[in-house]
């Protein structure tokens, strides 16, 4: 499972390092204590063309997951598990922003829906289109199943990389796919840090371990 994930996502990591992180994650999840489920959350106003969000400008009405997910005990338990994984990643890595997204059918077509996260408010949905992928790491990863690790956003931009800045404090970002046992993409995780070179081998192994576990709790 780990080796195939690394091959598909094109990440150069030690499978044994990921396995160590996975064991620790499973031990943490074995504790039956679960965080509260966040069924709604504040989101920013969209910027020009909807390609990004206006950082610091929030919409009056919160975004409601119940508009896209069935409010049931099973769904609530899965969302709580996902939030617990989010909390674990933040605890272990001190990452500044971390979110879990699931591919979801909507009236506007398939989109990435943010299920659980830590950090500043951010957009809840990303259209899964080639056009949107030109300015979105999240969508690029979901469409290609290839992980993206940018440890210096400023240098990446200087080299001509396409990237939109929602939070100007973000200096490093990692986006990884969530895959099922047939290597279909079910969603993505997105992690952002306010320091360059944040995503070292240990931190990436932690994120991959979570990507191995998260599909069990998608709704």
């Amino acid at each position: 499972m780990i080796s195939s994930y690394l091959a598909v996502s094109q990440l150069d990591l030690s499978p044994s390092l990921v396995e160590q992180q996975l064991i620790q994650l499973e031990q943490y999840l074995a504790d039956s204590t679960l965080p509260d489920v966040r069924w709604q959350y504040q989101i920013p106003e969209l910027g020009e063309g909807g390609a990004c969000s206006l950082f610091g400008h929030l919409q009056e009405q919160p975004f409601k997951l119940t508009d896209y997910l069935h409010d049931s005990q099973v769904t609530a338990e899965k969302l709580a598990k996902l939030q617990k994984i989010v909390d674990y990643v933040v605890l272990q890595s001190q990452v500044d922003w971390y979110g879990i997204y699931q591919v979801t059918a909507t009236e506007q077509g398939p989109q990435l829906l943010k299920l659980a996260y830590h950090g500043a408010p951010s957009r809840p949905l990303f259209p899964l289109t080639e056009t949107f992928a030109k300015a979105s790491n999240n969508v690029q990863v979901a469409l290609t199943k290839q992980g993206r690790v940018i440890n210096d956003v400023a240098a990446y931009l200087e080299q001509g990389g396409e990237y939109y800045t929602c939070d100007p404090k973000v200096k490093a970002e990692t986006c990884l796919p969530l895959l099922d046992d047939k290597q279909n993409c079910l969603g993505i995780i997105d992690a952002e840090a306010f320091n360059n070179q944040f995503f070292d081998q240990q931190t990436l192994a932690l994120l991959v371990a979570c990507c191995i576990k998260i599909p069990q709790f998608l709704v």
Side-chain angles (χ1 to χ4, degrees), residues 40-47 50 52-64 67-68 121-125:
Q40 60 183 34
Y41 47 79
Q42 294 298 126
I43 61 173
E45 296 284 357
L46 293 182
C52 189
S53 303
L54 294 176
F55 184 71
H57 298 270
L58 300 180
Q59 295 184 21
E60 284 189 23
Q61 296 299 319
F63 180 83
K64 298 178 180 179
D67 289 342
Y68 298 87
S122 63
R123 66 177 300 134
L125 292 164

Side-chain angles (χ1 to χ4, degrees), residues 38 41-44 55-56 58 96-98 101 114 117-123 166-167 169-170 192 194:
R38 182 161 39 185
Y41 47 79
Q42 294 298 126
I43 61 173
F55 184 71
L58 300 180
D96 295 289
W97 200 96
Y98 180 78
Y101 298 76
K114 187 173 65 179
Y117 75 101
H118 163 86
S122 63
R123 66 177 300 134
C166 287
D167 186 342
K169 295 190 295 296
V170 173
E192 299 176 346
F194 298 161

Side-chain angles (χ1 to χ4, degrees), residues 43-183:
I43 61 173
E45 296 284 357
L46 293 182
E48 184 177 354
C52 189
S53 303
L54 294 176
F55 184 71
H57 298 270
L58 300 180
Q59 295 184 21
E60 284 189 23
Q61 296 299 319
F63 180 83
K64 298 178 180 179
L65 282 176
T66 48
D67 289 342
Y68 298 87
L69 303 176
H70 180 56
D71 185 352
S72 68
Q73 182 177 351
V74 172
T75 300
E77 289 177 354
K78 288 184 175 182
L79 288 176
K81 284 284 190 180
L82 292 176
Q83 189 61 52
K84 188 162 185 170
I85 291 175
V86 169
D87 295 345
Y88 179 76
V89 169
V90 175
L91 177 66
Q92 294 296 314
S93 69
Q94 303 302 306
V95 72
D96 295 289
W97 200 96
Y98 180 78
I100 297 172
Y101 298 76
Q102 176 177 287
V103 175
T104 302
T106 74
E107 294 180 354
Q108 292 73 40
Q111 301 196 61
L112 288 172
L113 170 66
K114 187 173 65 179
L115 299 180
Y117 75 101
H118 163 86
S122 63
R123 66 177 300 134
L125 292 164
F126 287 84
L128 286 173
T129 65
E130 293 290 346
T131 299
F132 207 88
K134 294 178 180 179
S136 169
N137 288 321
N138 290 358
V139 177
Q140 285 187 38
V141 170
L143 294 181
T144 66
K145 297 185 283 191
Q146 298 174 12
R148 299 201 65 184
V149 180
I150 302 173
N151 260 319
D152 188 333
V153 170
Y156 178 76
L157 288 171
E158 288 177 1
Q159 294 166 7
E162 293 182 342
Y163 187 91
Y164 66 75
T165 301
C166 287
D167 186 342
K169 295 190 295 296
V170 173
K171 295 184 178 180
E173 179 178 14
T174 289
C175 234
L176 303 177
L178 299 171
L179 308 174
D180 64 14
D181 56 3
K182 295 182 180 179
Q183 310 307 332

